[in-house]
Amino acid sequence: MGLLDGFWRGRAAEFDSGSAATNAIELTKRHSQVSLTKQGAATGHLRINLAWRMRSSDIGGPQRESLLRHPFKALKPPEVMGHTQSMVNVDLDLGCLYELQDGTKGVVQPLGGYFGDVNAAPYVKLTGDDRFGSGSGETLYVNLDHRESIKRLLVFVYIYDQTPAFDRTQAVVTLYPTSGPRVEIHLDERHPQARSCAVVMIENVKGEMFVRREVKFVYGFQAELDRLYGWGLQWGRGHKTKAER
C-alpha cells in the first residue's frame, strides 16, 4: 500500500460520519463518538433537541386505495407528517440522568416536574414538555461553562403513556454545540415493544468532553436505565398532573 493510499483511507474514515451538505455529524454504530473539546465546542450552552414524526401509513391503519386507479402511488415513498393529538396518543419525553464530580446524582425530566437548572447544579435544564411532537420538540440545555463540575450525563427518551411505538416514530435527538457541526442520533432501530431508550452519553474524561452514541432500547422505564448504567437512584411510580399534560 502506498503512502497516498493510507492518507486517503485515513481521510475517508475521519469524515465518513459527517455531511458537508447538512453540516451535521451522525453518530452510528461504526462512528459512535465525538469530542466536543477537540471541536472547540466544550463551552457555552449545548442544546439537545428531541423531535419526532410518524408515517401517515401508521396513522389510522393501512391505506387501501386501488393501485389500478392510482398506479403511480406504488412509486411514492410513505408520507411523513407532523405528530398531533388527533392522529395517535403517543407522548415521547426527553430526560437526562446526571452525575456530578462531587457525587451528586439525579434526573431532569418532565415527569415529576424535575426541569433542572442551567446556571446552578446540575447545570442541565429542560425547557418544557411537548406532548404531541410539535416542530420545536423538547429541548435540554447543558451549561458546558461548568463542565468541570459534570462527570456524566445520560440523555434518554421514554414513552410516557406506555404505548410502545418506537418502531413507528421517526425520533431524532440532535445536539447543537456552540461551534462546529450539529450531532445527530437517529432512533431508527426496530424495537416495537421498547418503552425507553438510552440515547447518548456526555462524559467528562480527564477534562475532555465526549459525546458517545448509546441507542439502547429497554422494555421498562427510568429504573431499568438506571440499573443498566449503575446510577443507583431510588424510583417510584409517577404521573403527570393536568398542568404537565
Side-chain angles (χ1 to χ4, degrees):
M1 181 179 72
L3 177 62
L4 289 178
D5 292 334
F7 173 78
W8 285 114
R9 287 187 183 181
R11 296 286 288 183
E14 180 181 351
F15 292 105
D16 187 48
S17 60
S19 171
T22 61
N23 193 32
I25 295 174
E26 181 181 349
L27 295 186
T28 64
K29 289 182 179 180
R30 182 183 177 191
H31 297 282
S32 62
Q33 183 170 280
V34 65
S35 169
L36 295 179
T37 302
K38 289 182 179 178
Q39 290 191 145
T43 59
H45 288 178
L46 172 67
R47 179 164 61 98
I48 305 172
N49 178 258
L50 164 67
W52 54 286
R53 298 179 297 177
M54 294 191 72
R55 294 181 181 88
S56 59
S57 58
D58 291 327
I59 300 166
Q63 304 299 314
R64 298 183 178 274
E65 284 188 294
S66 171
L67 292 180
L68 293 176
R69 184 174 296 180
H70 303 283
F72 293 104
K73 291 221 170 182
L75 304 176
K76 187 178 179 181
E79 181 185 357
V80 175
M81 59 179 62
H83 191 88
T84 66
Q85 184 177 16
S86 61
M87 292 177 182
V88 70
N89 184 28
V90 178
D91 181 9
L92 293 187
D93 281 345
L94 181 66
C96 177
L97 285 166
Y98 62 83
E99 181 178 2
L100 304 183
Q101 295 287 3
D102 64 4
T104 303
K105 298 179 182 179
V107 65
V108 174
Q109 63 178 21
L111 188 61
Y114 297 107
F115 289 100
D117 194 319
V118 77
N119 295 314
Y123 309 108
V124 180
K125 172 77 173 177
L126 181 67
T127 59
D129 180 14
D130 171 25
R131 294 200 64 216
F132 309 121
S134 68
S136 59
E138 293 191 2
T139 300
L140 280 164
Y141 285 93
V142 179
N143 190 344
L144 292 180
D145 289 337
H146 291 273
R147 61 194 177 279
E148 71 282 352
S149 299
I150 298 171
K151 183 176 181 179
R152 58 175 180 159
L153 307 172
L154 178 66
V155 178
F156 62 91
V157 175
Y158 65 97
I159 301 175
Y160 170 71
D161 61 8
Q162 303 187 22
T163 304
F166 275 115
D167 61 326
R168 292 182 287 131
T169 58
Q170 294 187 327
V172 181
V173 172
T174 306
L175 284 67
Y176 297 89
T178 54
S179 63
R182 67 183 185 272
V183 180
E184 296 180 349
I185 304 97
H186 292 257
L187 309 186
D188 51 9
E189 297 179 14
R190 294 191 64 82
H191 291 270
Q193 298 304 313
R195 291 175 170 84
S196 303
C197 180
V199 179
V200 64
M201 181 77 78
I202 302 169
E203 196 165 14
N204 186 336
V205 180
K206 297 180 180 179
E208 186 170 357
M209 299 302 296
F210 287 96
V211 172
R212 185 176 69 248
R213 178 188 185 272
E214 297 292 329
V215 190
K216 294 181 180 178
F217 290 88
V218 299
Y219 299 110
F221 294 96
Q222 293 90 325
E224 189 169 345
L225 293 174
D226 184 313
R227 287 191 295 270
L228 187 62
Y229 288 90
W231 236 266
L233 300 179
Q234 297 296 318
W235 298 91
R237 293 181 65 86
H239 301 279
K240 293 184 181 181
T241 65
K242 290 184 179 180
E244 288 176 292
R245 287 173 179 270

